Amino acid sequence: KRLFGRNAVEPVAYDRVALERVYAGGLSNGGFIARRAAELGFVDGAVEISGVLWRADAGNLLRELPMLLRATSRDPWDLEMLARAGFPAVEPAWKPLIDLYKLVYWESSLGLFVSDLDPSYAGPLERYNLDARPDALAAVREFENTGDLKCPLISISGRKDWLISCAGHAEAYRDLVKSRGKADLHRMVIEDDAAHIDTNADMFPFVTPLMPRAHAAFDELVTWVEKLSTQPA
């Protein structure tokens, strides 16, 4: 492979290196990519943090984010709709953080996904109905998670994730893996007081950052993969 040097004039040649192990790691949609890499057999092991679960016929952000927008469009919030979307009870201490997510992340994230997966949609985002958009459903099916792991995967999630629900993404993926008979290749850690973004702890000290757990999980993953490699085929 050839890469350009610092002067951006003369290319610099790098010799290929034989890789003994390849690992994937990712956060949020990067977590989804780490899962897919583990499902497709592209890597020897993976760690995903707050990974987004993409399934055409169940859950996914194109269903959940419109529900969040509708449920919180007026006071008092529709707590039953929030629960149907998979989110936990709104605890008073967490309400300011949820307000921040509502202000910054929900509509902008939904807008990005709709523009990418369903660019012809022109209606209000809070009224987006994935099940009435066959082209978008077909697009999701092309890359959806299968749960059919080919290598070890460690998943880390926060119970108080107010962008992607723990129930609808972390726990739903755990159940998907189990349904494919691959539970022995999956380990999951759920932190009760973790959110989607670790830097939330700067403003809200009660938030538990996930990255320290992710760093420890990577060491755990390497040990796990190396142990499996010594077992008879």
Side-chain angles (χ1 to χ4, degrees):
K1 183 176 180 180
R2 299 179 72 85
L3 301 175
F4 284 97
R6 290 181 182 271
N7 59 11
V9 175
E10 294 297 328
V12 179
Y14 291 87
D15 293 333
R16 292 182 181 272
V17 177
L19 301 178
E20 294 183 8
R21 300 280 186 268
V22 178
Y23 297 97
L27 168 70
S28 194
N29 263 309
F32 156 74
I33 292 173
R35 285 176 179 163
R36 285 296 288 146
E39 291 170 348
L40 295 170
F42 290 165
V43 295
D44 296 290
V47 174
E48 58 95 354
I49 308 98
S50 303
V52 178
L53 175 60
W54 285 103
R55 295 282 290 170
D57 297 324
N60 94 44
L61 290 172
L62 290 178
R63 291 190 181 89
E64 296 162 0
L65 289 174
M67 292 179 71
L68 279 175
L69 293 175
R70 294 197 302 274
T72 60
S73 62
R74 63 185 66 183
D75 290 323
W77 288 359
D78 187 336
L79 301 182
E80 291 185 3
M81 186 180 292
L82 290 176
R84 289 199 304 275
F87 290 90
V90 179
E91 298 177 15
W94 286 79
K95 179 64 164 53
L97 182 143
I98 302 169
D99 287 337
L100 174 65
Y101 276 48
K102 180 178 185 294
L103 176 67
V104 177
Y105 300 115
W106 295 349
E107 188 169 5
S108 61
S109 297
L110 179 58
L112 287 171
F113 295 132
V114 169
S115 65
D116 188 40
L117 297 170
D118 195 359
S120 66
Y121 181 74
L125 287 174
E126 67 271 14
R127 294 297 170 188
Y128 186 79
N129 181 1
L130 177 61
D131 295 306
R133 309 291 296 179
D135 289 345
L137 281 168
V140 174
R141 285 194 181 96
E142 290 182 0
F143 63 83
E144 69 180 355
N145 288 114
T146 66
D148 186 16
L149 291 173
K150 304 297 192 298
C151 67
L153 170 70
I154 300 177
S155 299
I156 303 167
S157 181
R159 184 76 66 187
K160 301 292 184 14
D161 190 325
W162 276 91
L163 181 58
I164 63 168
S165 71
C166 183
H169 294 261
E171 293 177 328
Y173 187 70
R174 174 201 61 196
D175 295 343
L176 180 62
V177 170
K178 191 177 298 185
S179 74
R180 300 302 298 268
K182 297 299 181 71
D184 60 326
L185 290 175
H186 189 224
R187 298 176 185 175
M188 190 170 73
V189 177
I190 296 178
E191 294 284 354
D192 286 337
D193 291 324
H196 193 75
I197 299 167
D198 275 8
T199 53
N200 292 151
D202 295 340
M203 296 176 60
F204 307 98
F206 50 80
V207 173
T208 301
L210 289 174
M211 289 312 296
R213 184 63 186 89
H215 294 160
F218 184 80
D219 292 335
E220 177 185 342
L221 175 71
V222 171
T223 300
W224 185 6
V225 170
E226 293 295 332
K227 183 177 180 180
L228 285 177
S229 70
T230 62
Q231 295 179 357

